[in-house]
Amino acid sequence: MSLISNHMPTAELQALDAAHHMHPFTANDTLAKRGARVITRAEGVYLTDSDGNQILDGMAGLWCVNIGYGRHEMAEAAARQMKELPYYNTFFMTTHVPAIALAQEVTALAPDGMNQIFFASSGSEANDTNIRLVRTYWTEKGKPSKSHIISRKNAYHGSSVGSGSLGGMAHMHAQGGLPIEGIHHINQPDWWSEGGEMSRADFGVARAQELEAKILELGEDNVAAFIAEPIQGAGGVIVPPETYWPEIQRICDKYEILLIADEVICGFGRTGNWFGSETMGIRPHIMTIAKGLSSGYQPIGGSIVCDAVAEVIGHTEFNHGYTYSGHPVAAAVALENLRIMKEENMIEHVRNVAAPHLKAGLETLADHPLVGEVNVAGMMASLPLTPHKESRATFAADRGTIGMICRDRCFANNLVMRHVGDRMIVSPPLIMGREDIDTLVSRASKALDETYAEAKRQDLLKAAS
Ligand code: PXG
């Protein structure tokens, strides 16, 4: 038994954490000085920290705990599977029941004509799979020159070398020699920040047409695929103009470009359908999944592949796979998660109750002096903060200064709400009911008021010139 229990004083846990634990996307020396927040348990939509605070989780962990915390059926599914078959691989002409059952279940939920899945343990791994899938597909089709992949700036597709290259995060590319060869990034459909004087609709078409321009620049015969999140998540919940996706679909069809929809955040109910592709009306060839597949109770992800691509890949030995592809315990837990989602009508709950209530609640914040606009799509939302709504101005202070103040005020009010730069974002568990959502909105409102007061006190309300 580990000596590190929940009963140790917070400061001791923080000191041990600082001594040995390197955190993701963190300057560890800064964190060591401040001390990490220690989460000790969680139930429903509330986290408990080592000081006993009850914090409303407006981010569903990291966009994943869709069914909420503390579902004992999930633990029981894991324990049952561990006793029966804790591990076996799916290489060497072998399979097992949890992988078979989950593959059947997930492809039954997927859009028509997507009947195969390649398993991974995360979204990053699944997107690495996708790079190899689309390049192998075109090679097998006799068009090996079709190897370039087009993605978008400010996209997030994971943190491995391959998936980090697909992503469009400049600060990630700056470390470790990314992107790998043959990955290109066009601009994102972020009207609030980049739309200038254009109407939302015209901007959506213009940004989509950057895909066509990039295909023509690279040469149609050299482009394998376009990858995008139906709604950008980690980039700041960027809900594209309605004109964007139809134009992207037209272009992919015209030039025979494979469309990869990264559903890691949008999948499994977040947008009010099983997949964001349905919400956005697109027809992907491949969908990346992870997070909500197991509600984060176990690490599992995968690539759902359309019949046309799966058939071509099936003609060759696909030299790719992970020790934990289709891990039986993770698969059993994912199956239990999907059972719970279906039996409790979670998609209908999102569509008819939670998402409309979240939208109505957050829209009451639209008049707040800091809130530029309120973007809500299902159970994900963003509020860009601004010193001047009419001109959609950014702050003169360094990007993220006001967002960070607001994030801290949210924590002080026992709410997890993230900031991306100066955009505040939420992505709550899908099980949230009206009362939890009201609590979320009232805590966010208080945090915004406190942010305004603090920004005023520090003279940070000036617009960038
Ligand atoms: N695709 C998308 C759309 C994601 O959001 C991944 C792929 C990678 O999944 P894994 O399981 O390898 O992490 C993600 C992950 C953030 C944040 O700060 C978001 C993610 C991961 C870490 C941080 O919002 N999304």
Side-chain angles (χ1 to χ4, degrees):
M1 211 22 209
S2 165
L3 293 175
I4 300 173
S5 78
N6 286 345
H7 306 293
M8 278 172 87
T10 301
E12 268 180 58
L13 288 168
Q14 288 171 330
L16 279 173
D17 186 72
H20 305 294
H21 182 191
M22 298 170 80
H23 288 248
F25 288 90
T26 299
N28 278 286
D29 56 353
T30 310
L31 178 65
K33 284 189 205 109
R34 191 174 162 150
R37 183 172 290 101
V38 183
I39 302 299
T40 52
R41 49 185 304 117
E43 185 65 36
V45 298
Y46 281 90
L47 309 164
T48 304
D49 72 12
S50 53
D51 295 327
N53 295 307
Q54 300 271 310
I55 307 165
L56 182 63
D57 187 2
M59 283 306 297
L62 206 47
W63 322 77
C64 54
V65 189
N66 290 354
I67 63 167
Y69 300 90
R71 294 297 302 244
H72 289 199
E73 308 95 305
M74 298 284 275
E76 278 146 23
R80 248 193 333 267
Q81 186 58 46
M82 271 197 198
K83 288 179 201 160
E84 195 160 306
L85 179 71
Y87 175 74
Y88 203 72
N89 69 65
T90 50
F91 294 45
F92 317 127
M93 310 280 173
T94 306
T95 191
H96 49 66
V97 176
I100 297 168
L102 185 61
Q104 184 206 15
E105 187 71 31
V106 170
T107 54
L109 295 174
D112 286 348
M114 302 190 84
N115 290 302
Q116 298 276 334
I117 178 165
F118 193 103
F119 286 116
S121 298
S122 67
S124 299
E125 285 182 359
N127 275 328
D128 275 26
T129 300
N130 293 340
I131 295 173
R132 308 196 67 204
L133 273 174
V134 298
R135 289 179 171 171
T136 306
Y137 170 82
W138 286 115
T139 301
E140 289 303 308
K141 290 272 283 186
K143 295 184 178 173
S145 66
K146 278 175 85 72
S147 68
H148 290 257
I149 301 173
I150 301 173
S151 177
R152 305 183 297 183
K153 293 177 188 162
N154 199 36
Y156 192 85
H157 296 300
S159 192
S160 59
V161 172
S163 63
S165 296
L166 289 176
M169 300 286 181
H171 61 290
M172 291 176 70
H173 291 174
Q175 294 173 330
L178 273 57
I180 57 168
E181 243 175 80
I183 314 270
H184 309 267
H185 299 86
I186 58 172
N187 283 307
Q188 59 179 337
D190 177 0
W191 176 81
W192 169 266
S193 307
E194 301 171 3
E197 298 296 310
M198 286 177 98
S199 71
R200 229 179 248 270
D202 288 350
F203 178 72
V205 173
R207 282 289 156 101
Q209 287 177 349
E210 288 195 18
L211 175 60
E212 188 158 31
K214 184 57 84 179
I215 293 167
L216 295 174
E217 178 195 322
L218 295 168
E220 187 180 341
D221 291 339
N222 298 322
V223 180
F226 174 65
I227 180 168
E229 303 149 81
I231 297 167
Q232 283 159 270
V237 184
I238 315 285
V239 184
E242 279 180 14
T243 49
Y244 181 75
W245 272 113
E247 184 64 4
I248 291 282
Q249 183 71 60
R250 181 192 70 76
I251 294 164
C252 288
D253 292 348
K254 179 172 174 190
Y255 296 100
E256 275 196 82
I257 305 298
L258 296 177
L259 175 55
I260 307 169
D262 186 334
E263 297 270 1
V264 168
I265 285 176
C266 293
F268 301 100
R270 183 139 307 276
T271 69
N273 286 296
W274 280 102
F275 296 98
S277 294
E278 296 163 65
T279 306
M280 292 292 151
I282 50 178
R283 298 183 306 280
H285 297 91
I286 296 176
M287 298 196 300
T288 321
I289 57 170
K291 295 192 190 275
L293 170 60
S294 66
S295 283
Y297 280 65
Q298 281 285 290
I300 185 165
S303 305
I304 307 178
V305 181
C306 74
D307 299 346
V309 172
E311 193 196 326
V312 170
I313 297 289
H315 296 326
T316 186
E317 184 171 325
F318 186 41
N319 297 313
H320 179 74
Y322 305 109
T323 301
Y324 299 131
S325 285
H327 190 286
V329 177
V333 168
L335 273 168
E336 185 63 10
N337 177 60
L338 298 179
R339 186 194 66 73
I340 289 173
M341 287 192 68
K342 287 207 281 195
E343 275 184 20
E344 299 183 7
N345 299 317
M346 225 163 272
I347 304 292
E348 288 73 20
H349 170 73
V350 168
R351 204 181 289 159
N352 301 329
V353 180
H357 201 69
L358 182 69
K359 185 170 163 61
L362 290 175
E363 279 176 352
T364 64
L365 305 177
D367 291 337
H368 191 280
L370 280 179
V371 174
E373 64 172 8
V374 176
N375 305 291
V376 188
M379 288 297 274
M380 57 202 289
S382 66
L383 313 175
L385 305 184
T386 176
H388 189 248
K389 290 178 204 252
E390 290 68 31
S391 61
R392 312 204 302 272
T394 51
F395 294 96
D398 287 347
R399 180 178 179 271
T401 307
I402 318 296
M404 177 77 95
I405 295 174
C406 188
R407 203 265 325 248
D408 287 346
R409 295 324 303 159
C410 289
F411 267 122
N413 284 288
N414 287 332
L415 169 67
V416 179
M417 171 153 83
R418 278 269 313 280
H419 78 112
V420 173
D422 294 310
R423 251 171 205 270
M424 301 312 297
I425 59 179
V426 288
S427 170
L430 306 186
I431 49 149
M432 270 203 183
R434 292 193 177 89
E435 204 177 309
D436 297 323
I437 291 170
D438 290 344
T439 306
L440 184 154
V441 172
S442 77
R443 290 184 185 181
S445 171
K446 187 154 177 283
L448 282 165
D449 288 346
E450 291 172 10
T451 303
Y452 186 79
E454 181 60 23
K456 198 166 175 183
R457 198 183 65 74
Q458 293 187 35
D459 198 21
L460 293 173
L461 292 172
K462 291 199 200 83
S465 49

